């Protein structure tokens, strides 16, 4: 059944074939009808996705079905309807954004046969729904323009026909036309902002998925290059050793640049796991001053204007430093003949009227502002409209990736903040970042000593769970080189079986995203039930809700982000084991 069901699931991607394909899929799974109900992001209610049947077999209402199923707190079994003599039997499966329902009698569907394709299908249906909503709003705006045009023509005819009240009608006409023009302009502006926000969201989903695969590959590439470098450094007998070392160094440098680009993609798509704390922003800027000065060069004068009563800000300090540095680099490139860069901080309040005018959701309240202003060449409106798009750049080929501002945008939005850019040609640019105020005292960062290679070794037993074969082999190799007892598993089921038969595992090192419906968090929970003292270290190249919620790493979770290096893995494993 699996191949046939997968083919029928693929057919659901086409709207015009969706009704027939859903009927065929239902029969394949032993039922009469198959539905996908999508969750409305604004109301939280569910409705059939576009192209699916709008009623259950026998004429029963799907609204009544969902209501009764919700009241019973189940989505399976038999549900009777007061408006129908038909007894409907249904089995459902819930996702975060959708509910799948199979209707029929004596159902025992094999969901696993279609499970691999469901996340992508649901994402496609959600995108269709957003596009459908956007087109509906666009049609409403067009109808408003048509209505306003007809109204203006009617007023013109009335003005010509009624000479006794012509002056009054002219006054009314002028007033009404102005109001209509203002309303049309307001709607057009809101529609444009909405379309831009939806476009950025769609691009973010795509780039996040690409970054996940790249991070797995980059970990293997960087690990292999590090191994080659260590081997070359330990010998002096090879001919052309210097040339090989130089080639290895160049390749490793390129891989690190690729890892940086991938991190920026994750930041834009808001899939970077953040670890926010309470930060003294003025203190952070003072610590960055030397770095910023060297980055800007001698031609640009840096001025930092602090605030004596500045509130603490709640954000990830490392990502905030990256955002400020990215903006400083952009400002430097916009001032080729020199100029002044001013960084100013302050306390502010975003009121209800202001946040209501924004296309993205931003809660009103207290925020800490950091404004970065330059005296550079500035930007026109066309450039400003695209400035946060990834890979969009006005720089020459080879001089910019187009990911700096998109990284800033993703970090600020994931931090529940707001970013605004003001710019005019020849009048410079100001970027204002608003981050939520923290009520806690700022954290004090302690100096951390770098451990020696000997201190990173160990003899504990470690279970490595990773579905990517080359990455699993690399991770196990690193840990064995450090002296650990290493066991490995390619999936969650194998890892759980091993944990149930073993009593001597000190650390579980597991990928978060795994096949077959289970993830690293499921393995960790099972491991702690079996071995309460076991330590857990997660790794991932793309955050999911298993260990990250609302963009923030769950409390008490240890995470090593991909791509990681030999030293990074060694230090993190030793740190977790020693806690």
């Amino acid at each position: 059944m699996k191949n046939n069901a997968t083919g029928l699931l693929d057919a659901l991607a086409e709207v015009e074939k969706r009704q027939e394909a859903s009927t065929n899929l239902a029969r394949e799974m032993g039922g009469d009808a198959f539905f996908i109900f999508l969750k409305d992001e604004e109301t939280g209610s569910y409705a059939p996705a576009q192209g699916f049947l709008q009623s259950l077999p026998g004429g029963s209402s799907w609204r009544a079905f969902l209501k009764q199923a919700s009241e019973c707190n189940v989505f399976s079994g038999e549900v009777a309807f007061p408006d129908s003599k038909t007894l409907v039997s249904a089995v459902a499966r819930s996702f975060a954004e959708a509910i799948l329902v199979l209707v029929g009698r004596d159902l025992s569907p094999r969901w696993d046969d279609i499970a691999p394709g469901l996340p992508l299908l649901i994402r496609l249906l959600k995108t269709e729904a957003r596009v459908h909503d956007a087109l509906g709003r666009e049609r409403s705006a067009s109808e408003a323009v048509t209505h306003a045009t007809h109204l203006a023509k009617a007023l013109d005819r009335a003005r010509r026909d009624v000479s006794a009240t012509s002056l009054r009608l002219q006054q009314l006409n002028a007033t009404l036309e102005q109001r209509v023009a203002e309303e049309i302009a307001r709607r057009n502006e809101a529609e444009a902002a909405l379309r831009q926000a939806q476009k950025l969201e769609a691009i973010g989903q795509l780039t996040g998925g690409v970054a996940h695969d790249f991070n797995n590959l980059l970990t293997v590439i960087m690990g292999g290059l590090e191994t080659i470098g260590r081997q070359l450094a330990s010998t002096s007998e090879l001919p052309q050793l210097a040339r090989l070392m130089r080639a290895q160094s160049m390749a490793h440098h390129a891989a690190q640049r690729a890892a940086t680009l991938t991190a920026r993609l994750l930041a834009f798509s808001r899939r970077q796991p953040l670890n926010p704390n309470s930060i003294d922003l003025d203190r952070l800027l003072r610590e960055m001053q030397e770095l910023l000065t060297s980055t800007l060069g001698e031609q640009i004068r840096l001025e930092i204007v602090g605030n004596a009563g500045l509130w603490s800000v709640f954000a990830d300090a490392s990502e905030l430093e990256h955002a400020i540095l990215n903006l400083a680099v952009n400002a430097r490139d916009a001032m080729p003949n020199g100029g002044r860069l001013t960084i100013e901080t302050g306390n502010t309040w975003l009121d209800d009227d202001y946040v209501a005018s924004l296309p993205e959701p931003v809660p009103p309240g207290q925020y800490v502002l950091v404004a970065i202003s330059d005296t550079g060449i500035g930007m026109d409106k066309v450039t400003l409209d695209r400035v946060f798009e990834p890979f969009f750049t006005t720089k020459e080929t080879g001089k910019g990736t187009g990911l700096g501002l998109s990284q800033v945008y993703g970090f600020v939005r994931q931090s529940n903040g707001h970013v605004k850019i003001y710019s005019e040609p020849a009048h410079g640019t100001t970027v204002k970042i608003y981050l939520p105020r923290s009520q806690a005292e700022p954290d004090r960062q302690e100096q951390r000593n770098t451990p020696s290679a000997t201190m990173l070794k160990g003899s504990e037993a470690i279970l490595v769970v990773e579905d990517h074969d080359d990455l699993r082999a690399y991770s196990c190799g690193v840990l064995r080189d450090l002296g650990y007892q290493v066991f490995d598993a390619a999936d969650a089921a194998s890892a759980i079986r091993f944990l149930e038969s073993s009593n001597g595992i000190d650390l579980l090192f597991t990928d978060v995203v795994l096949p077959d419906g289970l993830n690293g968090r499921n393995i960790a929970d099972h491991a702690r039930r079996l071995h309460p003292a076991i330590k857990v270290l997660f790794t991932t190249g793309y955050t999911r809700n298993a260990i990250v919620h609302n963009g923030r790493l769950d409390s008490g979770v240890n995470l090593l982000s991909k791509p990681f290096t030999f030293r990074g893995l060694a230090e993190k494993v030793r740190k977790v084991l020693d806690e």
Side-chain angles (χ1 to χ4, degrees):
M1 168 186 169
K2 182 174 183 179
N3 291 336
N4 194 28
T6 303
L8 293 172
L9 189 68
D10 292 341
L12 293 175
E14 299 182 43
V15 177
E16 56 273 13
K17 298 180 180 179
R18 191 165 291 158
Q19 188 166 321
E20 179 183 355
S22 64
T23 301
N24 293 336
L25 181 60
R27 293 170 180 169
E28 184 72 15
M29 296 178 71
D32 299 321
F34 179 79
F35 298 86
I36 295 182
F37 297 93
L38 296 180
K39 184 178 181 180
D40 186 281
E41 297 176 352
E42 296 181 357
T43 65
S45 61
Y46 288 85
Q50 186 178 0
F52 285 88
L53 291 171
Q54 298 297 304
S55 62
L56 301 178
S60 301
S61 165
W62 56 265
R63 289 187 179 87
F65 168 73
L66 290 181
K67 182 176 182 298
Q68 293 187 19
S70 176
E71 291 173 352
C72 298
N73 198 26
V74 294
F75 282 102
S76 62
E78 295 183 342
V79 180
F81 297 92
D83 58 341
S84 173
K85 296 181 179 179
T86 305
L87 195 63
V88 176
S89 176
V91 177
R93 182 170 181 176
S94 298
F95 289 81
E97 298 292 338
I99 297 174
L100 278 62
V101 177
L102 181 65
V103 177
R105 295 185 179 278
D106 301 323
L107 294 171
S108 57
R110 295 172 56 187
W111 294 109
D112 290 342
D113 292 340
I114 62 173
L118 289 177
L120 186 58
L121 176 62
I122 292 171
R123 188 185 302 172
L124 171 64
L125 296 176
K126 292 288 292 184
T127 302
E128 282 183 1
R130 292 192 186 99
V131 171
H132 184 73
D133 289 342
L135 291 175
R137 294 187 179 95
E138 188 174 355
R139 283 194 297 271
S140 297
S142 177
E143 290 171 1
V145 172
T146 302
H147 179 71
T149 303
H150 291 330
L151 183 58
K153 290 180 179 179
L155 287 172
D156 285 339
R157 288 193 299 269
R159 186 175 55 226
R160 290 192 299 267
D161 295 340
V162 187
S163 58
T165 58
S166 61
L167 180 60
R168 177 59 179 163
L169 285 175
Q170 288 174 3
Q171 294 172 343
L172 290 175
N173 183 47
T175 303
L176 183 57
E177 286 178 347
Q178 180 182 358
R179 291 171 58 191
V180 170
E182 290 174 353
E183 178 64 18
I184 291 173
R186 187 189 67 79
R187 290 193 181 189
N188 288 341
E189 184 178 350
E191 288 294 326
L194 177 62
R195 285 193 292 270
Q196 179 71 2
Q198 290 173 335
K199 179 169 67 173
L200 291 176
E201 180 67 23
I203 295 174
Q205 292 179 1
L206 173 64
T207 54
V210 172
H212 166 242
D213 294 332
F214 267 60
N215 275 331
N216 280 337
L217 299 174
L218 284 171
T219 304
V220 178
I221 292 170
M222 294 170 67
L225 290 170
E226 281 187 332
T227 302
I228 293 171
R230 290 196 303 274
Q231 294 297 323
L232 290 175
S234 65
T235 180
S236 59
E237 301 176 358
L238 289 176
Q240 300 180 326
L241 178 62
R243 184 177 179 183
L244 291 173
M245 290 288 289
R246 187 166 58 254
Q248 185 272 343
S249 178
M250 291 169 58
H252 192 263
H253 178 68
Q256 287 177 320
R257 288 189 62 193
T260 300
L261 292 178
T262 306
R264 289 180 174 179
L265 284 173
L266 285 173
F268 166 74
S269 60
R270 296 175 236 172
R271 299 296 189 270
Q272 195 82 309
L274 299 181
N275 189 17
N277 293 291
S278 187
I279 301 170
D280 182 338
L281 182 55
D282 281 344
R283 180 169 178 258
L284 181 143
L285 289 172
R286 288 194 299 272
E287 294 173 350
M288 290 184 66
Q289 187 163 2
E290 184 177 346
L291 172 62
L292 290 170
T293 301
S294 62
T295 300
L296 294 172
E298 297 179 353
Q299 285 188 305
I300 299 174
R301 182 163 58 91
L302 174 65
E303 183 178 0
I304 298 178
V305 182
N307 188 313
L310 191 67
W311 297 328
S312 299
V313 62
F314 190 67
D316 186 307
S318 176
E319 292 301 319
L320 180 54
E321 287 179 354
H322 290 162
I324 294 172
L325 187 60
N326 272 331
L327 294 174
V329 170
N330 277 359
R332 179 199 64 191
D333 296 341
M335 297 183 284
N337 299 319
R340 183 178 70 256
L341 178 68
T342 304
I343 303 179
E344 187 174 2
T345 62
N347 302 325
T348 188
W349 174 277
L350 299 184
D351 59 26
D352 293 329
D353 291 339
Y354 179 78
V355 300
S357 67
L358 302 177
E360 69 271 7
V362 178
Q366 295 176 325
Y367 288 81
V368 177
L369 166 68
V370 55
I372 297 96
S373 304
D374 64 59
T375 58
I377 58 177
M379 293 177 283
D380 57 24
K381 187 178 185 306
V382 174
T383 304
L384 275 176
D385 288 341
R386 300 188 59 192
V387 74
F388 289 131
E389 294 181 15
F391 304 112
F392 173 75
T393 180
T394 57
K395 299 176 184 178
E396 297 178 14
T397 303
K399 292 188 176 181
T401 62
L403 289 173
L405 283 176
S406 62
Q407 180 184 20
V408 173
Y409 173 82
F411 158 68
V412 174
R413 293 297 300 122
Q414 191 174 351
S415 301
N416 295 325
H418 169 57
V419 58
K420 183 72 174 178
I421 296 185
Y422 305 87
S423 186
E424 291 183 17
H427 287 83
T429 299
T430 296
V431 181
K432 292 186 175 182
I433 295 177
Y434 301 84
L435 293 170
R437 176 188 181 182
S438 172
Q439 300 295 337
E441 287 296 319
D443 291 344
R444 299 297 178 186
Q445 298 295 327
E446 298 180 358
Q447 189 76 17
R448 186 173 69 93
N449 296 322
T450 301
S452 65
T454 303
M455 294 171 62
L456 295 176
K457 293 180 176 294
S459 59
E460 291 91 342
I462 300 176
L463 173 61
V464 177
V465 185
E466 170 61 63
D467 62 303
H468 192 286
D469 294 338
D470 292 338
L471 184 50
R472 185 173 67 258
Y474 168 68
S475 300
C476 291
V478 170
L479 295 173
R480 288 192 179 103
D481 287 347
L482 293 168
Y484 295 104
Q485 304 173 56
V486 182
F487 307 91
D488 65 277
D491 53 57
S494 301
I496 290 174
R497 285 196 299 271
F498 180 84
L499 288 166
E500 289 174 342
S501 62
S502 174
N503 294 321
I505 299 300
D506 300 293
L507 173 70
L508 170 66
F509 177 49
T510 177
D511 192 6
V512 175
V513 182
L514 293 169
D516 300 331
L518 293 176
N519 56 47
R521 190 58 178 263
N522 301 136
I523 302 175
D525 292 342
H526 196 81
R528 289 192 178 104
R529 285 194 294 270
L530 294 170
H531 312 290
I534 195 171
K535 304 293 181 63
V536 178
L537 174 59
F538 294 101
T539 183
T540 184
Y542 177 67
T543 63
R544 296 288 178 91
N545 289 338
I547 62 170
V548 175
H549 293 86
N550 299 319
R552 300 168 187 172
L553 195 63
D554 291 348
S555 176
V557 169
N558 291 303
L559 173 66
L560 178 63
S561 295
K562 298 177 184 178
F564 52 78
T565 62
F566 183 104
R567 178 119 195 153
L569 176 58
E571 289 186 1
K572 195 70 176 180
V573 166
R574 194 64 261 163
K575 179 173 181 279
V576 173
L577 283 170
D578 291 341
E579 284 179 346

